[in-house]
Amino acid sequence: MINYKNEISKLISDSININIDNITGFIEIPNDSNLGDYAFPCFRLAKELKMPPQKIAEQILENMKYDKELIDNIEIVGGYLNFFINKETFIRESIKEFDKKRENYGSSDLGKGKNIVIDYSSPNIAKPFHIGHLRSTVIGGSLYKIYKFLGYNSIGFNFLGDWGVQFGKVMAGISLWKDEYKFIPGEEINTILDIYVRFSKEEKENPEMTKLAKSWLKKLEEHDEETYKTWEWIRKISLENFQKTYKLLNSNFDVYHGEAYYNDKMQGVIDELKSKNLLEESEGAQVVNLDAYNMPPCIIITSAGTSIYATRDLASLEDRAKTYDFEKALYVVGNEQQLHFKQIFKVFELMGYEKYAKRCEHIPFGLVVDKNGKKIGSRTGNSVVLEDIINEAIDKVKNIILEKNPEIENIDETARKIGVGAIIFNDLNNSRIKDEIFDWDMMLNFNGETGPYIQYMYVRTKSILDKAEYIPNIEDMNMNKLLDKESINIIKDIYSFNDVVVEAANKNEPSIISRYVLDIAKNYSIFYNNNRILSDDEETTSARLYLTYMVNIVIKNATSLLGMEMPDKM
Ligand code: ARG
């Protein structure tokens, strides 16, 4: 594929006697294509050349010898050099490139042989899998797929919160009230949740309850047989329950090493910290002092003599580095844990793992809020259990479809794809650090910037191709039938797909792909509204069908990177 930025950068540096590394980085893509396909702002060289931008532009243009096959025309406007590429070449080369890969278009082997450990979702067991975990699950799931598409070996890591004081609460609650509750097979998780909620409530009024919870945790930590069995049982049914949500959302994990997995691996970390003189005593606890880095101390062993979250995370990080020799380790976790990760990465560096510590990155994200900006999930009374919410989306979609198209086949499957797709797209639609607005009307609007809108455009391409019984073939295709502006805009999108995926990976930002797929869907919609695809003109029809075919695949591939599935009909 022609790399236009590189080609233009070469042309520029060959035209002036100056050695600058980053010309490629300065090249822009004008918003208005009347100003060219690429533009070079000459003021970037003004300091170096001691000339006004306009002069620089003139001089470069005067010396520049360019191939008409590549560049059609160059204009000078306001100190910019505007490059108009040769559209025939562009279309031909882009289509040929697409045709080589077809279903795999956009993928690459950039990351071949490199491991990326992605810690995401990682819910706490014995607590509800609630809407707060949606974002980590969806953002992490998308990053997992993006890296895979670029040839990396993604390792989906679920660091289940399967140890800690919440177990003490549930077990204490069970011991107190088990005769009052029914444990219905398949629905035990709800009972456990009820007990947890009741315990937490009563605890607020009665501090004795906290003591009781701690005593149960202690029994668990001492591996009291009965208690440990109960823990295993709670873990098992929680996990079974999470799997239902993961299945709905299409989430993949390669490893489920929860906090409990590190129970017998923490001593190693503690010994290492000791031998490196990193541990000091503070108010009865063992901590790593981080004053020098403007952070509060990282507690390793509490004054009660127990390990904590940080200790487990360190043990897990060491294990990840040793097992995977990772290129990157990502932690897709809410913004409120920022300090925790800064501390962990710093302590890990101080332990001597500088190389790996530098490869760790916390990937934070904003809250889920309602349309008034109020956080969802904070005791609103509404159901915030993730599985219920997803099922609600599916039901709502089903009703919408039944109204529009009652005869549709496979309605359940279609409603699932659209409902889940709407939730996923809504989550990934804006940069992750922004709060996500969770509003049914907004995310289920088939004409908005939504998942259903994208799916609708996809279905449109599919039904056109099906109707024409299209078999893609570029052999005798007259590509010059795609020289109109609307087609070229679409081909430009197609041309940039892989770059977009790379950028999304570099910034760990799936929204770059969401915005991209919205853009191509909109461009196709404009094209579709203004042109007939199937007509008597065979050459035009066949070129437009190929264009439609490319859009079909690119939407499918791009949305699959977000974790969305495309319905066949809707
Ligand atoms: N279980 C934690 C929570 O729900 C998230 C864990 C994130 N991963 C990690 N390695 N600390 O808040």
Side-chain angles (χ1 to χ4, degrees), residues 281-514:
E281 202 184 304
S282 165
E283 295 167 30
Q286 295 287 317
V287 307
V288 179
N289 186 318
L290 297 173
D291 281 351
Y293 311 97
N294 283 322
M295 284 187 260
C298 181
I299 301 172
I300 301 295
I301 303 170
T302 66
S303 53
T306 56
S307 63
I308 61 170
Y309 188 43
T311 329
R312 296 166 195 285
D313 243 334
L314 275 171
S316 182
L317 177 48
E318 184 174 47
D319 180 45
R320 294 175 206 197
K322 288 188 172 151
T323 311
Y324 301 109
D325 181 26
F326 55 70
E327 179 74 15
K328 281 190 198 178
L330 307 180
Y331 291 81
V332 188
V333 187
N335 211 213
E336 66 283 355
Q337 291 193 28
Q338 197 149 38
L339 176 63
H340 168 76
F341 286 108
K342 269 178 136 172
Q343 290 178 314
I344 298 300
F345 300 159
K346 183 49 86 181
V347 172
F348 199 50
E349 184 191 317
L350 295 174
M351 282 169 74
Y353 295 102
E354 202 184 342
K355 175 175 122 185
Y356 291 112
K358 285 217 166 80
R359 297 177 177 183
C360 293
E361 204 178 329
H362 174 212
I363 312 294
F365 47 81
L367 303 172
V368 182
V369 297
D370 64 19
K371 60 172 181 265
N372 303 314
K374 237 179 84 200
K375 182 176 169 182
I376 295 186
S378 46
R379 266 171 277 299
T380 43
N382 314 337
S383 160
V384 285
V385 176
L386 196 47
E387 192 192 344
D388 295 348
I389 288 189
I390 298 171
N391 285 324
E392 193 175 339
I394 296 173
D395 282 346
K396 283 183 192 289
V397 168
K398 205 165 156 180
N399 290 334
I400 298 173
I401 303 178
L402 280 175
E403 236 168 70
K404 290 192 177 181
N405 184 0
E407 262 107 71
I408 191 163
E409 292 161 35
N410 295 333
I411 178 146
D412 288 316
E413 185 61 7
T414 305
R416 183 185 67 78
K417 287 179 180 171
I418 300 174
V420 172
I423 290 182
I424 291 179
F425 196 85
N426 185 60
D427 194 296
L428 300 178
N429 191 195
N430 293 305
S431 35
R432 59 180 152 75
I433 203 69
K434 286 195 187 160
D435 287 349
E436 171 192 344
I437 301 170
F438 197 95
D439 178 64
W440 288 122
D441 291 337
M442 205 171 84
M443 75 177 93
L444 294 177
N445 180 354
F446 281 46
N447 300 311
E449 298 196 336
T450 61
Y453 168 74
I454 306 279
Q455 286 166 324
Y456 182 67
M457 288 314 298
Y458 170 83
V459 167
R460 217 169 226 198
T461 59
K462 183 163 174 11
S463 71
I464 294 167
L465 297 170
D466 287 350
K467 189 170 162 204
E469 297 179 9
Y470 184 58
I471 297 165
N473 177 10
I474 60 168
E475 291 292 294
D476 317 303
M477 189 169 122
N478 183 354
M479 297 183 189
N480 291 340
K481 295 286 178 189
L482 299 174
L483 278 168
D484 63 288
K485 214 169 161 176
E486 285 157 5
S487 304
I488 285 176
N489 276 340
I490 295 171
I491 298 173
K492 277 189 175 176
D493 285 335
I494 289 165
Y495 169 82
S496 66
F497 182 35
N498 180 258
D499 289 344
V500 167
V501 181
V502 171
E503 195 194 339
N506 286 340
K507 298 185 175 157
N508 293 309
E509 187 61 88
S511 67
I512 292 174
I513 294 175
S514 320

Side-chain angles (χ1 to χ4, degrees), residues 119-125 127 133 136 157 159-162 259 309 313 316 320 331-334 336-337 340-341:
D119 180 321
Y120 71 106
S121 195
S122 304
N124 295 331
I125 276 176
K127 278 192 194 170
H133 284 102
S136 171
F157 205 106
F159 187 67
L160 294 166
D162 59 1
E259 293 187 42
Y309 188 43
D313 243 334
S316 182
R320 294 175 206 197
Y331 291 81
V332 188
V333 187
E336 66 283 355
Q337 291 193 28
H340 168 76
F341 286 108

Side-chain angles (χ1 to χ4, degrees), residues 495-548:
Y495 169 82
S496 66
F497 182 35
N498 180 258
D499 289 344
V500 167
V501 181
V502 171
E503 195 194 339
N506 286 340
K507 298 185 175 157
N508 293 309
E509 187 61 88
S511 67
I512 292 174
I513 294 175
S514 320
R515 305 315 297 181
Y516 167 83
V517 77
L518 266 177
D519 197 55
I520 192 166
K522 281 185 192 164
N523 281 337
Y524 186 78
S525 157
I526 295 171
F527 171 81
Y528 176 89
N529 289 331
N530 295 339
N531 297 286
R532 290 192 52 175
I533 291 170
L534 308 176
S535 71
D536 295 337
D537 177 349
E538 247 176 64
E539 278 197 341
T540 308
T541 301
S542 121
R544 287 181 176 169
L545 279 171
Y546 197 84
L547 185 72
T548 304

